[in-house]
């Protein structure tokens, strides 16, 4: 396996060198650019050598399992397309690997739409999650409420599916319009949404929650927008694409048909939940675990968890890739009443993964993070990457001046998160983390190695850095300037000694 890994590494490295040489010849960069990149590459190789024995290609993993794709046909998980999440199968795989009997409590500090929480609960394990975005909070709480639905509650949902009471309803309830969501719906769909929101006010809170979640599940499909990476992409029919390259997202669904189909899917899964068997553990009729969800930033909420009370962490933090979830999920956030000021607050409270994040005063949040921040400050590879990015900013050759601040914030904040995970884990507890490597201005940033090295210095034992067989491509802009060098997508496993 070591030989295979080295062969994989050197083949990729040689190919990368050829592409870089070609790129340098074309663009004729300054000597200083070359010096920076070569120094970063040397430091990166030293770190690879240090963790080589822990790195392996895991052929049981693929992009479908470590992303939302694996949930598309899975009951309960398929309702809402949370693209940044991972599949229920990955949760099941790592809980079984850690040991069901050895796992009493699971934590996900970036809970998203709850794949870790519900996967653990389905296996009879209590789960604790922290989630910042209101859309994730609502989906998790609504799925929990479905476990307490009465026959009358289900009858009300069946009535909505079968009779479509909003169509004849006379009232309308307005919803928040943000600058980035203005004009997202056709006049007909917008009117239907308002009638639907008004009509559902006559239901009890549990039924309202499910009806609202069903609406969230179809917003993208009935709008002129499509979630494309770090922003909402607008269809040319919206009238918001003046001067831009025309984009046609394809069919835009009509509200009545879309919501009826989604309610049918939810009812099919929820009504049969006692007989449904995704994981074999259901066959033992084991009691489901409890789910606790806390609203807020994990930087603020992790310090409130007691020491040594978690057995397993399964999570996927935001990647260091400039994706702004407040834009990606703007339609849903607006429907939940988040205004412009609230949107800016959420954006700042997120882990620094977007160029608009301002630097956080981490020691003001928790003075105990001094050591974690010191590890970052003295990390040779990380500091060389930051020097290079700030140098490129000064030269005005970065496509966004916020990139250096974002990259610095990402690693410093993640170091604080890792410190907290080490503190809350019980002895022999594990962290399973899904993440991507990134590239900026031609510098490949080994997020997997840097975070694992930080974790090691905090006190974790690095068990494994599992690499997906097929790497992730970088952005089209990066490929144009620096060649198509695949980036590792990995799952890290760290153990508390």
């Amino acid at each position: 396996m070591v030989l295979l890994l080295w062969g994989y590494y050197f083949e990729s490295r040689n190919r990368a060198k050829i592409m870089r040489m070609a790129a340098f010849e074309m663009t004729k960069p300054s000597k200083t650019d070359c010096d920076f990149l070569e120094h970063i590459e040397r430091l990166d190789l030293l770190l690879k050598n240090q963790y080589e024995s822990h790195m392996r290609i895991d052929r049981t993993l693929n992009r479908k399992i470590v992303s939302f794709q694996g949930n598309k046909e899975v009951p309960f998980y398929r309702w809402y397309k949370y693209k940044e999440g991972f599949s229920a199968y990955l949760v099941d795989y790592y809980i079984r690997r850690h040991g069901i009997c050895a796992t009493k409590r699971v934590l996900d500090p970036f809970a998203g739409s709850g794949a870790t929480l519900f996967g653990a609960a389905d296996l009879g394990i209590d789960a604790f999650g922290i989630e910042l975005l209101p859309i994730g909070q609502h989906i998790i709480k609504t799925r929990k409420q479905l476990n307490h639905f009465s026959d009358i509650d289900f009858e009300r949902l069946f009535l909505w599916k079968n009779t479509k009471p909003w169509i004849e309803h006379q009232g309308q309830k307005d919803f928040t319009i943000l600058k980035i969501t203005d004009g997202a719906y056709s006049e007909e769909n917008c009117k239907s949404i308002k009638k639907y929101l008004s009509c559902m006010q006559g239901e009890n809170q549990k039924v309202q929650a499910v009806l609202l979640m069903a609406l969230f599940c179809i917003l993208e499909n009935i709008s002129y927008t499509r979630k494309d990476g770090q922003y909402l992409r607008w269809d040319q029919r919206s009238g918001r694409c003046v001067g831009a390259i025309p984009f046609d997202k394809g069919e835009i669904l009509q509200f009545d048909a879309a919501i009826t189909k989604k309610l049918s899917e939810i009812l099919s899964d929820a009504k049969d939940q006692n007989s449904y068997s995704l994981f074999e553990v259901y066959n033992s009729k084991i009691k489901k675990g409890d789910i606790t969800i806390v609203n807020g930033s994990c930087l603020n909420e992790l310090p409130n968890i007691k020491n040594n009370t978690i057995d397993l962490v399964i999570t996927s933090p935001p990647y260091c890739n400039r994706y702004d979830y407040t834009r990606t999920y703007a339609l849903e956030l607006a429907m939940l009443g988040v205004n412009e000021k609230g949107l800016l607050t959420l954006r700042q409270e997120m882990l620094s993964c977007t160029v608009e994040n301002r630097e956080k005063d981490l020691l003001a949040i928790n003075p105990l993070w001094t050591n974690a921040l010191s590890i970052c400050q003295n990390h040779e590879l990380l500091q060389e990457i930051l020097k290079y990015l700030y140098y490129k900013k000064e030269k005005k050759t970065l496509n966004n001046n916020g990139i250096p601040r974002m990259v610095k914030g990402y690693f410093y904040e993640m170091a604080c998160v890792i410190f907290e995970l080490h503190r809350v884990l019980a002895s022999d507890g594990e962290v399973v983390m899904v993440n991507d490597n990134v590239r900026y201005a031609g510098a490949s940033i080994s997020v997997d190695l840097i975070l694992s090295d930080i974790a090691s210095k905090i006190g974790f034992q690095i068990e494994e850095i599992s690499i997906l067989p097929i790497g992730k491509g970088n952005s089209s802009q990066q490929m144009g300037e620096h060649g198509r060098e695949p980036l590792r997508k990995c799952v890290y496993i760290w153990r508390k000694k």
Side-chain angles (χ1 to χ4, degrees):
M1 181 57 73
V2 172
L3 290 175
L4 175 64
L5 183 60
W6 272 111
Y8 170 86
Y9 165 71
F10 279 115
E11 180 184 352
S12 299
R13 185 166 176 253
N14 290 338
R15 184 168 60 251
K17 276 188 173 181
I18 293 171
M19 297 304 296
R20 276 195 297 274
M21 289 172 64
F24 289 154
E25 183 63 29
M26 292 172 60
T27 60
K28 295 183 180 180
S30 69
K31 185 175 184 297
T32 310
D33 281 1
C34 295
D35 287 344
F36 266 116
L37 291 173
E38 288 177 0
H39 192 197
I40 289 170
E41 185 175 356
R42 284 196 298 271
L43 294 173
D44 188 72
L45 180 57
L46 287 174
L47 207 54
K48 282 190 177 81
N49 291 339
Q50 183 178 340
Y51 291 101
E52 177 214 346
S53 62
H54 303 286
M55 299 173 71
R56 71 179 186 92
I57 298 173
D58 188 342
R59 301 197 179 277
T60 64
L61 299 176
N62 56 51
R63 292 194 68 82
K64 182 176 181 180
I65 290 176
V66 300
S67 72
F68 174 81
Q69 296 175 27
N71 287 338
K72 287 183 177 179
E73 303 301 325
V74 181
F76 305 104
Y77 297 90
R78 64 182 175 175
W79 298 346
Y80 181 80
K81 186 171 66 174
Y82 189 78
K83 296 172 65 175
E84 286 69 38
F86 41 65
S87 75
Y89 295 103
L90 182 132
V91 177
D92 181 69
Y93 173 69
Y94 281 109
I95 287 179
R96 292 183 186 280
R97 178 168 162 168
H98 184 259
I100 294 176
C101 294
T103 308
K104 303 295 186 296
R105 200 178 188 210
V106 169
L107 166 69
D108 187 348
F110 303 98
S113 61
T116 293
L117 310 185
F118 291 102
D122 288 343
L123 293 168
I125 298 166
D126 292 343
F128 185 93
I130 301 170
E131 177 53 34
L132 175 65
L133 292 183
I135 175 60
Q137 298 164 6
H138 183 86
I139 291 171
I140 293 168
K141 289 178 180 177
T142 302
R143 278 194 59 183
K144 285 181 61 181
Q145 286 181 321
L146 275 165
N147 292 329
H148 305 288
F149 254 46
S150 67
D151 288 341
I152 294 176
D153 294 330
F154 279 116
E155 286 174 8
R156 295 304 301 172
L157 288 181
F158 273 109
L159 182 143
W160 274 72
K161 177 182 77 73
N162 294 328
T163 68
K164 305 178 183 63
W166 65 88
I167 294 178
E168 301 300 328
H169 186 74
Q170 296 303 309
Q172 294 189 30
K173 185 177 186 298
D174 288 333
F175 54 88
T176 302
I177 301 293
L178 299 166
K179 291 178 183 178
I180 56 176
T181 66
D182 191 13
Y185 312 103
S186 68
E187 184 177 342
E188 179 184 1
N189 278 346
C190 186
K191 182 178 179 181
S192 294
I193 293 171
K194 291 180 178 181
K195 293 177 71 173
Y196 180 88
L197 290 171
S198 176
C199 186
M200 74 183 216
Q201 301 305 307
E203 302 293 343
N204 68 45
Q205 289 186 350
K206 288 187 292 182
V207 173
Q208 280 190 45
V210 175
L211 292 172
L212 187 57
M213 187 180 73
L215 175 60
F216 295 152
C217 294
I218 67 165
L219 287 179
E220 182 180 4
N221 293 329
I222 65 171
S223 76
Y224 291 121
T225 71
R226 190 176 78 185
K227 292 179 172 71
D228 275 5
Q230 56 189 290
Y231 61 96
L232 284 179
R233 191 174 186 186
W234 286 80
D235 185 277
Q236 56 190 345
R237 288 165 284 185
S238 68
R240 287 189 51 155
C241 302
V242 178
I245 299 174
F247 164 65
D248 189 330
K249 68 175 281 189
E251 182 185 10
I252 297 173
L253 301 182
Q254 191 270 339
F255 176 85
D256 295 345
I259 197 71
T260 302
K261 182 178 179 181
K262 183 56 63 174
L263 286 172
S264 296
E265 183 180 76
I266 291 172
L267 280 165
S268 174
D269 292 351
K271 194 65 176 171
D272 297 334
Q273 61 183 317
N274 292 328
S275 60
Y276 177 67
S277 179
L278 172 61
F279 304 127
E280 64 183 51
V281 75
Y282 283 154
N283 296 331
S284 65
K285 304 297 183 183
I286 192 168
K287 179 185 176 183
K288 289 190 177 183
D290 292 328
I291 292 175
T292 302
I293 180 69
V294 173
N295 303 338
S297 162
C298 68
L299 287 170
N300 293 323
E301 299 301 332
L302 276 172
N304 296 326
I305 302 177
K306 293 181 180 179
N307 293 358
N308 311 313
T309 54
I310 302 295
D311 300 293
L312 179 63
V313 176
I314 302 179
T315 193
S316 181
Y319 299 165
C320 188
N321 57 8
R322 297 178 58 179
Y323 283 20
D324 183 352
Y325 301 151
T326 64
R327 284 191 170 87
T328 305
Y329 296 99
L331 296 181
E332 294 88 337
L333 294 175
M335 205 63 65
L336 281 163
V338 176
N339 58 23
E340 298 288 353
K341 182 178 179 181
L343 202 70
L344 292 174
T345 299
L346 285 173
R347 189 174 296 153
Q348 175 58 21
E349 287 182 345
M350 283 194 308
L351 191 75
S352 290
C353 58
T354 174
V355 291
E356 295 183 31
N357 281 106
R358 301 185 304 277
E359 186 172 354
K360 297 178 177 67
D361 188 347
L362 295 169
L363 290 180
I365 298 174
N366 190 343
L368 298 179
W369 291 342
T370 303
N371 183 52
L373 298 177
S374 178
I375 290 170
C376 290
Q377 195 66 34
N378 293 303
H379 197 281
E380 195 173 3
L381 174 56
L382 174 58
Q383 292 304 319
E384 190 65 19
I385 290 168
L386 294 177
K387 287 177 187 176
Y388 172 63
L389 293 177
Y390 278 108
Y391 156 78
K392 295 292 283 183
K393 175 184 175 181
E394 291 175 6
K395 285 188 63 179
K396 303 185 185 303
T397 52
L398 278 180
N399 60 16
N400 190 296
N401 285 335
I403 290 173
R405 182 180 65 247
M406 178 198 72
V407 173
K408 178 184 177 182
Y410 184 84
F411 284 103
Y412 280 57
E413 290 166 33
M414 278 300 299
C416 297
V417 171
I418 293 169
F419 173 91
E420 291 298 323
L421 296 183
H422 186 268
R423 181 186 61 79
V424 304
L425 274 171
S427 179
D428 213 36
E430 285 186 329
V431 172
V432 176
M433 183 179 292
V434 181
N435 210 328
D436 271 5
N437 289 350
V438 294
R439 178 180 295 110
Y440 290 108
S444 295
I445 303 176
S446 295
V447 179
D448 53 359
L449 295 175
I450 296 174
L451 289 184
S452 293
D453 196 43
I454 291 171
S456 176
K457 289 177 169 59
I458 285 173
F460 278 107
Q461 178 176 302
I462 310 306
E463 293 286 297
E464 194 171 294
I465 301 174
S466 298
I467 305 168
L468 271 68
I470 299 176
K472 180 180 78 72
N474 47 298
S475 71
S476 57
Q477 186 176 43
Q478 290 283 313
M479 286 190 286
E481 295 181 12
H482 306 288
R484 183 188 286 274
E485 180 185 353
L487 297 168
R488 291 189 303 273
K489 185 175 183 69
C490 301
V491 180
Y492 329 142
I493 298 98
W494 309 327
R495 183 181 299 277
K496 183 172 179 179
K497 300 174 185 176

